[in-house]
Amino acid sequence: MRYAALAMVGASTAAERLAAVRSRIEAACARAGRDPSEVTIVAVSKSFSPDAVLELYRAGQRHFGENRVQEAARKIPEVTRAGAAPVWHLVGHLQTNKAAAALRLFAILHSVDSLKLAEAIARRAARPVDILLEVNVAREPQKYGFAPEEVSGAVSAIARLPNLNLRGLMTVAPLVENPEDVRPVFRTLRELRDANGLADLSMGMTNDFEIAVEEGATLVRIGRALFGEREQP
């Protein structure tokens, strides 16, 4: 496949970008009275090359996310052959017919958005697999996920399925000009997490991860701030 390239004019290095993101997370944690060690950065490498992943890995980043099973199936073996061993997260929509392939590639699945998908994963899993439930907090019609009022029932149903380790909840906030506008979305997800006795919150991307951290995110999914801007074709 044709991977995106970084816009190199004036671009910082991978190490500098990673240090800048870590610094911003530390500042957000300080404002919220949190320990930065509670927050895991997931570098979303969608459309970027294995070389871009390896550059960031060598700078110290260990968790990487992919949106599509097909792209990951090509990229992950190349990264492995180069001697790197990241923890891979699936952060995009997963079709039920790709559940088996996803289980071979990823350590954690962020976007379990239906009981049907959870059941498909449970049937195909040969060992316990970490998952998060995707919640459409803002009720955007174009997005996947459980409605907030469905979460409690889904948690109970998934507890009865084999080989699923439900770690927490995930959401994709609306794209807004002012990141403060999505604070209520992140706060609602945290309240749902707490009400259901779960541990993790996957929320926040390049545009809004500091707000997400202030509201309790334990996993932030960051692409552009770590890999740089994509060149326009």
Side-chain angles (χ1 to χ4, degrees), residues 183 186-187 190 201 203 210-217:
R183 189 182 291 275
F186 296 146
R187 186 166 295 165
R190 171 167 51 84
L201 288 174
M203 59 188 194
E210 288 152 304
I211 301 297
V213 169
E214 290 174 6
E215 291 299 327

Side-chain angles (χ1 to χ4, degrees), residues 152-201:
S152 180
V155 169
S156 296
I158 286 170
R160 296 190 289 270
L161 296 174
N163 285 329
L164 297 184
N165 177 27
L166 179 55
R167 284 180 43 173
L169 305 177
M170 173 267 215
T171 199
V172 180
L175 185 60
V176 295
E177 187 172 337
N178 181 0
E180 277 291 339
D181 292 342
V182 297
R183 189 182 291 275
V185 171
F186 296 146
R187 186 166 295 165
T188 295
L189 195 74
R190 171 167 51 84
E191 291 169 352
L192 286 168
R193 187 271 312 266
D194 294 347
N196 286 281
L198 301 172
D200 282 306
L201 288 174

Side-chain angles (χ1 to χ4, degrees), residues 1-162:
M1 67 174 291
R2 182 178 179 180
Y3 292 109
L6 298 181
M8 297 308 295
V9 177
S12 55
T13 66
E16 289 168 340
R17 293 191 296 272
L18 180 57
V21 168
R22 286 174 171 169
S23 178
R24 292 168 64 184
I25 288 174
E26 288 169 3
C29 284
R31 292 191 294 271
R34 298 185 63 197
D35 185 339
S37 67
E38 298 171 1
V39 182
T40 297
I41 299 169
V42 180
V44 180
S45 49
K46 171 189 173 183
S47 83
F48 284 107
S49 69
D51 285 344
V53 171
L54 290 166
E55 183 184 13
L56 198 56
Y57 183 87
R58 289 163 184 154
Q61 176 62 25
R62 290 296 177 264
H63 292 257
F64 288 81
E66 283 288 327
N67 286 61
R68 298 183 178 90
V69 171
Q70 300 96 311
E71 181 178 343
R74 292 185 291 266
K75 186 182 301 181
I76 290 175
E78 291 189 48
V79 171
T80 301
R81 283 194 293 271
V87 178
W88 288 99
H89 300 238
L90 179 65
V91 299
H93 176 61
L94 175 60
Q95 297 172 303
T96 55
N97 64 354
K98 294 185 172 62
L103 288 168
R104 291 192 294 270
L105 294 164
F106 297 100
I108 177 169
L109 310 178
H110 287 230
S111 48
V112 177
D113 55 24
S114 68
L115 286 177
K116 178 182 176 182
L117 176 57
E119 290 164 354
I121 294 167
R123 284 196 303 271
R124 292 162 175 80
R127 53 176 175 73
V129 57
D130 289 346
I131 66 168
L132 294 100
L133 299 188
E134 182 172 359
V135 184
N136 188 353
V137 176
R139 303 178 190 273
E140 294 180 274
Q142 75 277 20
K143 289 182 179 174
Y144 299 96
F146 294 93
E149 65 273 14
E150 296 173 332
V151 170
S152 180
V155 169
S156 296
I158 286 170
R160 296 190 289 270
L161 296 174

